[in-house]
Amino acid sequence: AKSHHVVPVVLASDWHLDEVVKPEQINGLNAYNRQIAELRLRRYFENTIKITRNYLKGFDYPGIVMAGCGDILSGNIHEELRNTNADVIMSSMFHWLPLVAAGLKLWAAEFGKVLVTWVVGNHGRMSVKPIYKNRARENFDWLFARILQRDLAGDKRISWAVSDSNRAFFTVCNTRFSMTHGDEARGGSGIAGLLSPLMIADARARK
């Protein structure tokens, strides 16, 4: 009677972990490397708690949802990525899995329950061109989630919904979500920008 139940749904997408961007190669405009990614990952988990507790007060949080939308790792789909990533992809997974697991445990301690929903992106695929059969299982995003799920199997506070397709469906507080990475929506220009390909992709999905 005194407080509203709120379940945060927090996007986890396009982290491109272990991609390297050197500022001297792009006129000093930006930079990205493993050290920066580790800092961002830590802030992602910690600031989620900070926002819900310090800026959205007065709510009861019975749990939290991580909406994993793919491209967690930089991947090998382009030759330049394969040659310039901070590490080879298997070794990258070995480095990042414990850090993400620690973040999920942090959320579990704060919110009590964590639901991890997961779809794959395009950067984690093992084929040169996109595929449709075995799209998820032939993708390092899927493997990343499955290893996380296995490593955290003993933590009953964390539940999993790892999709075997390019789309995942889940319901939070009577609101149904349809989640996808979105790489099937291509093109877009002019005043409509990305809206047109998004609307087309949505119409095809509904059909």
Side-chain angles (χ1 to χ4, degrees), residues 22-42:
K22 296 182 178 181
E24 63 270 20
Q25 295 180 354
I26 54 171
N27 301 317
L29 293 175
N30 206 344
Y32 193 55
N33 53 44
R34 179 173 283 186
Q35 182 180 7
I36 293 173
E38 287 177 351
L39 178 61
R40 288 185 182 181
L41 186 67
R42 181 172 181 174

Side-chain angles (χ1 to χ4, degrees), residues 117-155:
T117 65
W118 201 270
V119 295
V120 301
N122 60 310
H123 269 250
R125 69 174 187 258
M126 299 173 65
S127 58
V128 176
K129 294 183 178 181
I131 60 175
Y132 295 93
K133 293 182 178 180
N134 295 321
R135 173 188 172 96
R137 291 173 178 258
E138 285 276 340
N139 192 297
F140 286 107
D141 287 330
W142 183 89
L143 181 61
F144 193 93
R146 286 301 188 187
I147 295 175
L148 268 178
Q149 182 179 7
R150 185 192 63 184
D151 291 348
L152 296 172
D155 195 328

